[in-house]
Amino acid sequence: MTGIDSLIPRGTPSALGAAPGVTEDAGAYAATGGYREVIGADELLDRIDGGLRGRGGAGYPTAAKLRAVRDAGPRPVVVANGEEGEPGSVKDRWLLRARPHLVLDGLARAAEITGAERGYVYVSDTAAGERIRRALAERTPRLPCDVVDTPHTYVAGEETAVVRRINGGPALPTAKPPRPFEQGVGGAPTFVANVETLARIALIAAQPDRRRLTARATLVTLAGGGAEPLLAEVPYGGTLRTLARAQGTPEPAGALMGGLFGGLIGPDRLDLALDPDTLAAAGTALGCGAIRFLAPDECPVSLVSAALAHLAAESTRQCGICVAGTGSIRDAVGALTNGTADPGLLTRLQRWSTSLPGRGACGLLDAAAGTAGSLLRAFPHLVRAHLDAPCPGCAAPADSGRLTVPVPYVARRTVPRPRSAASPR
């Protein structure tokens, strides 16, 4: 991975921090304004209400979620969700490794808003877990906090799976309702938040007058196109084409958006602005901020085949409709890649893409159906060409490993602490 870059305007509070290449300790974090009591919990909630959305994928308004937990009942719980199921995303693991105190600060402030007296950090990444435990040992936390490890799977970060794992069960989704804000960890109302969401809560608390800039910046994992991946912090509003050039893919043939959740877009959509509402109106999504660009000579059918192979392998096999549906979609697109598709295949894919979403316990089946549907919409001429003759670009078997992005290396801090650093409380 080439590394980390900031494309946000000067003066914007940054989730990347002053020294992205090393883990930030408690003293360095405090020296830059962390853990300070600038505003109270009620005012902070009002500032968050100015536009901060969750960064885990769904983009739900953070203030509404905080209020729901606060108002749901006594003894709520707060959870930092650091399990990144999307293979193309690395931002959460990087934050936990490089800026653990920023995440813990945001978790403590979420607890103050909701009235929670206990918190959890939920991780599957060994290095991230070690850094968080070290950060908790560096200073006495305002919030009693446990670190809960989980095996890494695509669905382990789904919020009901998070609650189930913390409660001692497997990291598998459960039927809804109840939602975690109603009944979560130990039966208490529970605020489950993506770690970048918590990081931005802490940034708003430290610099409340710049809350809009903080809410309208986001971390993105950019990959594909034959170039090295890039983790970057960017403002809403720039185009996808600009991001592709920054990553090293100047003329992409399209992009796979939101990890495996936002589907494919063609080259005619690369001038869309990076903004959740704009992307949603165009039929795609920012999701967790993972964007994989297509190289000019890369076959999108092959890429979708790899994505569907990954999703089918990650099915928890709890829902019969998911097992059958995801497997059928995988096999159908696989037939396109190897030249064995029959004429009725496109009709079946179209039907599945509209009839299957919403029928599983989690979003895995939705991702499979949506990705297949987006292929039909974005590249109909290429799909039809695959019915007529085998595609040379699809000759290799579907390899889901091509979707995986490595986490940028983060060293343990060895530079001297600034003289002005405040002592950890």
Side-chain angles (χ1 to χ4, degrees):
M1 190 163 195
T2 54
I4 301 166
D5 197 8
S6 178
L7 304 179
I8 60 175
R10 186 181 299 275
T12 303
S14 175
L16 296 179
V22 297
T23 297
E24 186 176 52
D25 64 18
Y29 180 64
T32 59
Y35 292 127
R36 291 180 186 170
E37 298 299 332
V38 179
I39 56 177
D42 290 341
E43 185 179 353
L44 176 57
L45 181 57
D46 290 340
R47 300 296 179 104
I48 293 169
D49 212 1
L52 182 63
R53 301 186 184 194
R55 295 298 198 271
Y60 193 78
T62 303
K65 199 171 182 180
L66 285 163
R67 287 193 177 98
V69 173
R70 181 194 63 184
D71 299 340
R75 299 184 302 279
V77 174
V78 290
V79 179
N81 183 2
E83 162 50 16
E84 283 181 298
E86 295 286 1
S89 180
V90 298
K91 67 183 181 69
D92 297 332
R93 283 168 288 170
W94 181 87
L95 277 172
L96 291 166
R97 293 182 187 189
R99 304 207 68 192
H101 288 283
L102 181 67
V103 176
L104 291 173
D105 193 2
L107 186 66
R109 295 182 191 277
E112 291 169 0
I113 291 171
T114 60
E117 298 179 353
R118 175 156 294 280
Y120 295 86
V121 181
Y122 178 81
V123 296
S124 64
D125 179 58
T126 300
E130 291 173 352
R131 299 288 169 87
I132 283 289
R133 289 181 174 93
R134 188 184 304 149
L136 288 169
E138 284 180 351
R139 65 186 300 277
T140 302
R142 288 176 291 175
L143 176 73
C145 190
D146 295 321
V147 181
V148 177
D149 298 293
T150 186
H152 172 71
T153 66
Y154 186 80
V155 302
E158 195 271 344
E159 63 175 8
T160 63
V162 173
V163 167
R164 191 174 181 183
R165 176 67 176 176
I166 294 173
N167 281 336
L172 299 174
T174 59
K176 298 171 278 288
R179 295 277 184 178
F181 81 87
E182 299 167 310
Q183 184 178 330
V185 176
T190 301
F191 177 70
V192 181
N194 171 265
V195 298
E196 187 190 349
T197 308
L198 295 169
R200 297 203 175 275
I201 289 175
L203 291 172
I204 291 172
Q207 300 185 63
D209 292 340
R210 297 180 176 179
R211 64 191 182 279
R212 178 173 171 81
L213 292 173
T214 299
R216 292 188 60 79
T218 194
L219 293 174
V220 291
T221 310
L222 309 175
E228 289 294 315
L230 174 68
L231 174 63
E233 189 169 20
V234 302
Y236 289 162
T239 68
L240 296 173
R241 193 179 303 278
T242 299
L243 294 184
R245 289 170 179 163
Q247 182 257 342
T249 308
E251 297 297 333
L256 183 61
M257 298 291 297
L260 305 181
F261 185 77
L264 274 175
I265 59 170
D268 59 321
R269 297 299 183 94
L270 291 171
D271 291 314
L272 285 171
L274 187 78
D275 176 272
D277 293 333
T278 300
L279 294 173
T284 184
L286 179 60
C288 63
I291 302 173
R292 190 190 189 284
F293 296 108
L294 281 159
D297 59 349
E298 186 174 8
C299 179
V301 179
S302 175
L303 179 61
V304 167
S305 182
L308 293 170
H310 177 80
L311 290 169
E314 288 291 314
S315 172
T316 66
R317 311 192 74 79
Q318 287 193 125
C319 307
I321 187 66
C322 179
V323 175
T326 305
S328 294
I329 297 172
R330 174 203 59 202
D331 293 344
V333 176
L336 284 173
T337 67
N338 60 31
T340 61
D342 63 84
L345 182 143
L346 298 189
T347 300
R348 295 195 299 275
L349 273 178
Q350 183 62 52
R351 183 176 72 250
W352 291 334
S353 71
T354 57
S355 65
L356 291 178
R359 299 181 64 182
C362 67
L364 188 146
L365 179 58
D366 294 18
T371 300
S374 70
L375 174 65
L376 300 180
R377 293 190 300 273
F379 298 97
H381 59 294
L382 288 178
V383 173
R384 287 193 295 271
H386 280 69
L387 290 174
D388 299 331
C391 168
C394 294
D399 177 16
S400 61
R402 67 198 277 196
L403 304 169
T404 302
V405 175
V407 183
Y409 177 74
V410 182
R412 188 169 180 176
R413 178 172 288 276
T414 57
V415 298
R417 184 180 302 174
R419 289 182 179 273
S420 60
S423 298
R425 290 188 297 169

